[in-house]
Amino acid sequence: MRNADRSVPFSSLKVLSRAPAPRITVGGVGRRHPLETILAKPFTRKVLGYISQPRPDGRSLFEVLAENYDNDRLRGWERWKWKLPSLVIDLALAHYRLDKELMKRKLFHHPPTVRALALTARSIARYGLSAPQRFAAPLFVVWNITQLCNLACKHCYQNAGPRPAPDELTLEERLKVVDELAENGVPFLAIAGGEPLALKDLWAVLEYANRRGIHLTLATNGTLLTPETAARLKECGVKYVEISVDGLDPDEHDGFRGRRGAWARAVQGIRNSVAAGIRTGLATCFTRRNVHRAAEVIEFAIGLGCQTFSHFNFIPVGRGREIVEEDLTPAQRELLLATLQRYLAEGRINVISTAPQFARACVVYGPAEGVFATGHAGRGMGSKTMVLSRYIGGCGAGRCYCSIQPNGTLTPCVYISSIKVGDLRRQSLAEIWESDLFTLLSDRSRRGDHCAVCGYQAYCGGCRARAFAYTGDITAGDPGCVYNMPLWRELVAKASSELPVFQPLAATASRMERLSLGGGPD
Amino acid sequence: MPWWVAGGLLAACAVLLVALWLALRRSRAQARRLQRAIESAGYELVHGANAARAHLIALEQETSSPLSSSHLGEIRRALERLERAAGTLAGALRPESAEAPGSSSAPAPPNPA
Ligand code: SF4
Ligand code: SF4
């Protein structure tokens, strides 16, 4: 059954069924930044609200100011009008010894960053400063633009196949979705699928989203990524392309992906993307089959010229449920996180992970002035980034991130596609974003197991998709985390009492039923 | 009081004040160093302990698997951090003539091997 065909209304969701566990982590040593005190003041909230409020033309004062700062294209009176504000900004930059040209390029004249800052200001004005921060609109959206795919991967969360879903959005509706995102100030959009490159409407959507100032990235299986396609992606403003490769063994990859030659074509796709000058990432989903080769896979990515290595956390949804026994144990995942953190700290390649514990791992394994992950895609150096990570780190589902399905339904995350929160065909994004479920997900104190009491709650929060997939309760602890070991043991014991601890969780569909995993997810 | 006695007293007072001011400045610098050292040691101690805890939990579950040695490696590294923190604290608490805490003059952690 296709994911989108089944939906679970919020009123019937099982929540808060699990009690908090005794706390086993020592309370973190909180670093504070003076800006936190300033941003928490009611007066600052008022000012932020004023400068980030969309004006009649849809843009905020902050966006207008950023665009006109030291803008050579302004003429006559307009040029003079913006002289004084530009001078004030220049003085501030000089005071903090910041490189003016760099700040212009990376901040003031970089629309997605300006939009992200305006959205952050609007969010603080609306909800106050909170760790983690709840956002007034998604900072980041993953759009599974089609169900169509030229491969049939075993772990596909989307159950994608050779045909698009019958109810997919038309091109006109897709462009309306782009409008909706732009009007709500969404800065970052990742296009995924299915296989987005198999969709002929893709190009029109990319061009339009680029025109509307949205920062674009694309996730692909890489088999259709020819040099021409890569060049065209660059032309359309795609800033980052992520290609999935399951490991170093072509036969294993091909077997997993359901097509001979898929590995070679994916690797060629990576080369084509790198050659086109696009920031390129190699993404791998680690399971018990390949986790022991994690370091080799990262070295392989470095050798191919990738700027990023992306770890996909295995989540048993979609076809992934059929291979749930390949999920990593919490112990295996912890070692993997330590390995990823070391590569990130080393700096030869950027490392990102969809495991929310990665932000926590950077704090646990790194020094105070080291590199920290700020979410599923960001990172930075030093204690300032560590502070930032407390506000935007960890699970973003329904808080700063959401997913759009091929038929326009909106879900908290691509891995929670069975909970339909709204429908962009009928509702506005702003209306859907106010959902009770998103309010619940944004409040990390409302969790079960160790996630309820964890010293790293603000950095991580646990993966809601994994909690939901394993327990049917979206607020349960993440059973993939080592601090939630009692929960994991409980699940394993439920799967089959005769199994020794840490043996495969469940191998067959009937065992899955006995695990009572079917309560929530697809 | 003759002028030279008053002058002498005044000079002595001035010298005393300067000495006091210098001592205060030194102790403030010492306090700042101590605060920084305690903060940094606290960071290492807390997260190092949590790292050690994570791998101990893992180890308890994996005793017979080949992963055990990797977890032991992690625990050893975490332990080294705890020792480093102790070293930093010890460095800061030594007389002020010693180098700043966290510098190479802080006592080296004992060799875990
Ligand atoms: S998953 Fe839960 S218990 Fe584990 S680090 Fe994250 S918040 Fe803490
Ligand atoms: S539920 Fe949260 S942590 Fe899990 S994949 Fe989605 S956004 Fe990431």
Side-chain angles (χ1 to χ4, degrees), chain A residues 313 315 353-357 376 394-398 401 412-416 460-466 478:
Chain A
N313 202 18
I315 299 171
S353 169
T354 60
Q357 294 85 8
H376 284 2
C395 178
Y401 150 75
C413 169
V414 286
Y415 297 108
I416 315 178
C460 167
C463 175
R464 297 302 92 218
R466 286 183 58 84
D478 178 346

Coordinates of all heavy atoms in Angstrom, one line a residue, chain A residues 313 315 353-357 376 394-398 401 412-416 460-466 478, ligand 2:
Chain A
N313 N 20.0 8.0 8.5 CA 19.7 7.1 9.6 C 18.6 6.1 9.2 O 17.6 6.6 8.6 CB 19.1 8.0 10.7 CG 19.2 7.4 12.1 OD1 19.9 6.5 12.3 ND2 18.4 7.9 13.0
I315 N 15.4 4.1 9.1 CA 14.1 4.2 9.8 C 13.2 3.2 9.2 O 13.0 3.2 7.9 CB 13.6 5.6 9.7 CG1 14.5 6.6 10.3 CG2 12.2 5.7 10.4 CD1 14.2 8.1 10.1
S353 N 24.2 14.3 9.1 CA 23.5 13.1 9.5 C 22.1 13.4 9.8 O 21.7 14.4 10.3 CB 24.2 12.4 10.7 OG 23.4 11.4 11.2
T354 N 21.2 12.4 9.4 CA 19.8 12.6 9.7 C 19.5 12.0 11.1 O 18.3 12.0 11.5 CB 18.8 12.0 8.7 OG1 19.1 10.6 8.6 CG2 19.0 12.6 7.3
A355 N 20.5 11.5 11.8 CA 20.3 11.0 13.1 C 20.4 12.2 14.0 O 21.4 12.9 14.1 CB 21.4 10.0 13.5
P356 N 19.3 12.6 14.8 CA 19.4 13.8 15.6 C 20.4 13.7 16.6 O 20.9 14.7 17.1 CB 18.0 13.9 16.2 CG 17.5 12.5 16.2 CD 18.1 11.8 15.0
Q357 N 20.8 12.5 17.0 CA 21.9 12.3 18.0 C 23.2 12.8 17.5 O 24.2 13.0 18.3 CB 22.0 10.9 18.4 CG 20.8 10.2 19.1 CD 19.8 9.7 18.1 OE1 20.0 9.7 16.9 NE2 18.6 9.4 18.7
H376 N 20.2 18.8 10.8 CA 20.5 17.7 9.8 C 21.5 18.1 8.7 O 22.1 17.3 8.1 CB 19.3 17.2 9.2 CG 18.4 16.3 10.1 ND1 18.8 16.1 11.4 CD2 17.3 15.7 9.9 CE1 17.9 15.3 11.9 NE2 16.9 15.0 11.0
G394 N 19.1 18.9 16.2 CA 18.2 17.8 16.4 C 17.0 17.7 15.5 O 17.0 18.3 14.5
C395 N 16.0 16.9 16.0 CA 14.8 16.7 15.2 C 14.1 18.0 14.9 O 13.7 18.7 15.8 CB 13.9 15.7 15.9 SG 12.4 15.4 14.9
G396 N 13.8 18.2 13.6 CA 13.1 19.5 13.2 C 11.7 19.2 12.9 O 11.0 20.2 12.5
A397 N 11.2 18.0 12.9 CA 9.9 17.7 12.4 C 8.8 18.5 13.1 O 8.7 18.5 14.3 CB 9.6 16.2 12.6
G398 N 8.1 19.3 12.3 CA 7.0 20.1 12.8 C 7.4 21.3 13.5 O 6.6 22.1 14.0
Y401 N 10.9 22.2 10.2 CA 11.0 21.4 9.0 C 9.7 20.6 8.8 O 9.0 20.3 9.8 CB 12.2 20.5 9.1 CG 12.1 19.2 8.4 CD1 12.2 19.2 7.0 CD2 11.8 18.0 9.0 CE1 12.1 18.0 6.3 CE2 11.7 16.8 8.4 CZ 11.8 16.8 7.0 OH 11.7 15.6 6.3
P412 N 4.9 15.7 8.9 CA 5.9 16.3 9.8 C 7.3 16.0 9.2 O 8.3 16.7 9.5 CB 5.7 15.5 11.1 CG 4.4 14.9 11.1 CD 4.1 14.7 9.6
C413 N 7.5 14.9 8.5 CA 8.8 14.5 8.1 C 8.6 13.5 6.9 O 7.6 12.8 6.9 CB 9.6 13.8 9.2 SG 11.1 13.0 8.8
V414 N 9.6 13.4 6.1 CA 9.5 12.4 5.0 C 9.3 11.0 5.5 O 8.7 10.1 4.8 CB 10.7 12.4 4.0 CG1 10.7 13.6 3.1 CG2 12.0 12.3 4.7
Y415 N 9.8 10.7 6.7 CA 9.8 9.4 7.3 C 8.5 9.2 8.1 O 8.3 8.1 8.7 CB 11.0 9.1 8.1 CG 12.3 9.1 7.4 CD1 13.2 10.2 7.5 CD2 12.6 8.1 6.5 CE1 14.4 10.2 6.8 CE2 13.8 8.1 5.8 CZ 14.7 9.1 6.0 OH 15.9 9.1 5.3
I416 N 7.6 10.2 8.1 CA 6.4 10.0 8.9 C 5.3 10.4 7.9 O 4.4 11.2 8.1 CB 6.3 11.0 10.1 CG1 7.6 10.9 10.9 CG2 5.1 10.6 11.0 CD1 7.6 11.8 12.1
C460 N 19.1 17.5 20.6 CA 18.7 16.2 19.9 C 17.2 16.0 19.8 O 16.5 16.2 18.8 CB 19.4 15.1 20.5 SG 18.8 13.5 20.0
G461 N 16.6 15.6 20.9 CA 15.1 15.4 20.9 C 14.7 14.0 20.5 O 13.5 13.6 20.6
G462 N 15.6 13.2 19.9 CA 15.3 11.9 19.4 C 14.5 12.0 18.1 O 13.8 12.9 17.9
C463 N 14.7 10.9 17.3 CA 14.0 10.9 16.0 C 12.5 10.5 16.2 O 12.3 9.4 16.7 CB 14.7 9.9 15.1 SG 13.9 9.7 13.5
R464 N 11.6 11.4 15.8 CA 10.2 11.1 16.0 C 9.8 10.0 15.1 O 8.8 9.3 15.4 CB 9.4 12.4 15.8 CG 9.6 13.5 16.7 CD 9.4 13.2 18.2 NE 10.6 12.7 18.9 CZ 10.6 11.7 19.8 NH1 9.5 11.1 20.1 NH2 11.7 11.4 20.4
A465 N 10.4 9.9 13.9 CA 10.0 8.9 13.0 C 10.3 7.5 13.5 O 9.5 6.6 13.4 CB 10.7 9.1 11.6
R466 N 11.5 7.4 14.1 CA 11.9 6.1 14.7 C 11.0 5.7 15.9 O 10.6 4.6 16.0 CB 13.4 6.1 15.1 CG 14.3 6.1 13.9 CD 15.8 6.0 14.4 NE 16.0 4.9 15.3 CZ 16.3 3.7 14.8 NH1 16.4 3.4 13.6 NH2 16.4 2.7 15.7
D478 N 13.5 7.7 21.4 CA 14.0 7.2 20.2 C 14.7 5.9 20.5 O 15.8 5.9 21.2 CB 15.0 8.2 19.6 CG 15.7 7.7 18.3 OD1 15.6 6.5 18.0 OD2 16.3 8.5 17.6
Ligands
SF4_2 S1 11.7 12.6 12.5 FE1 13.1 14.3 13.0 S2 15.1 13.3 13.4 FE2 13.8 11.8 12.4 S3 14.3 12.0 10.2 FE3 12.5 13.3 10.6 S4 13.3 15.3 11.1 FE4 15.0 13.8 11.3

